[in-house]
Amino acid sequence: MGTARWASEAPPTGAPRTRPRGSLFAEPSRTQGFDRATLHDDASRLDSPPRERAVAPGRRRTQGVETMETASELAVRLTKLSREQFWNVYTEFDWPEALSGERYCMKPELISIYGTELWDELDEAQRMRLSLYEIGNFFSLTLQGERPLVAGLSDRLYSKKVTEEATEYLHHFIDEENKHMIMFGVFLQKYLGKVYPEKKIVLDREYSKGEEELAFFCKVMVVEELGDYYNVKMMLDDEIEPIVKQVNWVHHRDESRHLGFGRRHLTELAEQWLPVWDDATKARFSDWLGAYIKSSWSDFYNPKMYDDAGMRDVAGTGYQIRKMALAHPATAAHRAKASKKLVNIFLRLGLLQEQPDL
């Protein structure tokens, strides 16, 4: 098993950019002032018809009426964006030889035991060490979640399950997810010496018509929505290791497109199949989806992560810490907050029939 790599001094020259590339990090331009009197004296402006309001992203206007874009129409726009923002995973990062050891690797508020009595008992050095293995577990979860995602998307290329326009975008989707796996893999092998293995067991089951397709894209949404919540919280945080901040930013940059497509495509699938399912099928799917979200959250409390961080000498075995953390009100509140957008999407679409107990 590999060991974590820290540096006793500041990162060497060539450390990752503190502001990764991307328009999000550009300084906002200052709005120029204007003379209102001059504006009102301009007869040509006064005589001109009012400007038509711009169409919001993700919507279209037909004969003056705004409606949602279809997944295929959205895929065309996303394909263009992916081509414009194409990047090379092998040149995007200047990987430091070791982490500084002087900053958190995960934002403290996102650490799995934050808000518990155990967190209060840890000193700063113990918290920082735990943060390394927490980010290692988070990146491992994301990597492991993207493996079946890529396999499933590949299986849908040039099939009747998706349109020609969607197939074109899925090529970019798969390419970007593959880059993410490389990115997370480099970080994990370089600074932890390993990738935490996947714990989920896939059981064969029979599906009603359309159920397997809906289940696949629901799983995609769970992995990506929960992951993006963490990405957004860390990608602008100057208090964490710069390379961690950059990895979160790069991941979010692509995932914002993936999430847009996933939400739209899932909406169309729900509109297609839910009306033909009987009540028993809807209830069964809702129960499965709630259990899947809960199971996905349990992976954030990896016993091995606690053991690797040296917590056994402080608070018992990793399994004991996991049990305590999952049952604590503070962590339950965190899971509910982080899942709010995801759960609301599923409730709105009718895929969940009630708020799951997370």
Side-chain angles (χ1 to χ4, degrees):
M1 181 181 74
T3 56
R5 299 189 63 187
W6 301 90
S8 58
E9 66 281 341
T13 303
R17 296 176 290 274
T18 56
R19 286 187 178 272
R21 285 180 287 179
S23 59
L24 181 63
F25 291 87
E27 293 295 330
S29 60
R30 295 184 180 275
T31 303
Q32 299 296 323
F34 61 90
D35 186 340
R36 292 183 180 273
T38 302
L39 178 62
H40 286 287
D41 286 342
D42 188 342
S44 63
R45 288 181 183 268
L46 292 173
D47 292 339
S48 300
R51 291 183 180 179
E52 189 174 35
R53 182 171 60 86
V55 179
R59 301 181 71 84
R60 60 184 174 184
R61 180 180 290 125
T62 305
Q63 296 181 343
V65 178
E66 279 193 25
T67 56
M68 291 295 295
E69 283 180 311
T70 65
S72 293
E73 290 169 335
L74 178 58
V76 173
R77 286 201 300 112
L78 296 178
T79 294
K80 182 175 182 292
L81 287 171
S82 286
R83 289 173 179 173
E84 291 173 351
Q85 298 181 16
F86 188 83
W87 58 287
N88 187 335
V89 68
Y90 299 107
T91 59
E92 182 76 10
F93 301 93
D94 297 321
W95 298 99
E97 284 303 310
L99 301 175
S100 71
E102 298 175 355
R103 298 190 187 200
Y104 280 91
C105 291
M106 177 177 269
K107 192 177 183 70
E109 292 83 353
L110 300 177
I111 291 176
S112 62
I113 62 169
Y114 183 83
T116 69
E117 292 75 15
L118 176 56
W119 174 259
D120 294 337
E121 294 171 8
L122 300 181
D123 60 31
E124 193 72 357
Q126 290 171 321
R127 291 176 177 180
M128 283 192 176
R129 181 167 180 79
L130 176 59
S131 78
L132 169 64
Y133 292 97
E134 290 265 356
I135 199 67
N137 185 61
F138 171 58
F139 284 170
S140 294
L141 288 177
T142 310
L143 187 158
Q144 300 289 9
E146 289 177 341
R147 288 194 304 110
L149 187 159
V150 167
L153 293 178
S154 297
D155 186 54
R156 285 159 175 79
L157 293 174
Y158 303 102
S159 73
K160 294 181 180 179
K161 296 178 180 179
V162 294
T163 64
E164 180 181 346
E165 294 82 4
T167 289
E168 183 70 19
Y169 176 59
L170 290 185
H171 279 294
H172 295 285
F173 200 140
I174 293 167
D175 169 64
E176 289 157 2
E177 294 294 7
N178 187 56
K179 290 173 182 174
H180 299 165
M181 288 191 288
I182 295 171
M183 172 181 73
F184 291 128
V186 170
F187 181 97
L188 291 164
Q189 295 293 358
K190 193 172 185 66
Y191 305 124
L192 260 72
K194 65 177 179 180
V195 176
Y196 285 115
E198 185 177 23
K199 297 294 185 180
K200 283 188 174 65
I201 299 175
V202 180
L203 301 176
D204 290 334
R205 51 170 290 199
E206 292 186 2
Y207 293 97
S208 296
K209 198 168 185 179
E211 189 178 1
E212 186 173 11
E213 194 71 1
L214 266 167
F216 173 76
F217 279 98
C218 281
K219 288 188 280 189
V220 170
M221 288 291 291
V222 171
V223 170
E224 301 214 318
E225 288 282 1
L226 295 184
D228 196 59
Y229 179 88
Y230 278 64
N231 293 155
V232 170
K233 291 290 185 182
M234 287 187 278
M235 69 185 193
L236 297 177
D237 190 346
D238 290 328
E239 301 301 315
I240 63 176
E241 291 280 355
I243 189 64
V244 175
K245 172 183 171 180
Q246 186 184 3
V247 167
N248 278 282
W249 154 242
V250 169
H251 194 236
H252 169 74
R253 182 179 61 192
D254 291 340
E255 292 300 311
S256 61
R257 295 190 295 276
H258 301 177
L259 286 166
F261 177 79
R263 291 168 190 153
R264 187 66 234 154
H265 187 62
L266 187 64
T267 298
E268 292 181 0
L269 288 173
E271 291 172 348
Q272 178 183 1
W273 294 113
L274 283 181
V276 302
W277 287 357
D278 58 26
D279 290 342
T281 301
K282 294 175 184 176
R284 182 184 69 215
F285 190 88
S286 176
D287 290 344
W288 166 81
L289 183 53
Y292 185 82
I293 300 171
K294 185 173 184 176
S295 172
S296 296
W297 267 119
S298 69
D299 293 336
F300 283 74
Y301 302 80
N302 185 351
K304 184 60 176 171
M305 166 184 76
Y306 301 126
D307 288 338
D308 289 346
M311 300 291 290
R312 184 181 290 266
D313 297 333
V314 180
T317 68
Y319 284 98
Q320 290 172 323
I321 297 172
R322 167 191 166 93
K323 183 178 179 180
M324 176 281 298
L326 280 169
H328 200 282
T331 68
H334 166 71
R335 293 191 295 274
K337 181 179 179 181
S339 305
K340 184 177 180 180
K341 180 188 293 186
L342 173 68
V343 169
N344 283 343
I345 290 171
F346 289 149
L347 288 170
R348 175 177 57 81
L349 294 178
L351 297 169
L352 279 176
Q353 296 184 347
E354 60 183 9
Q355 190 87 17
D357 179 15
L358 303 177

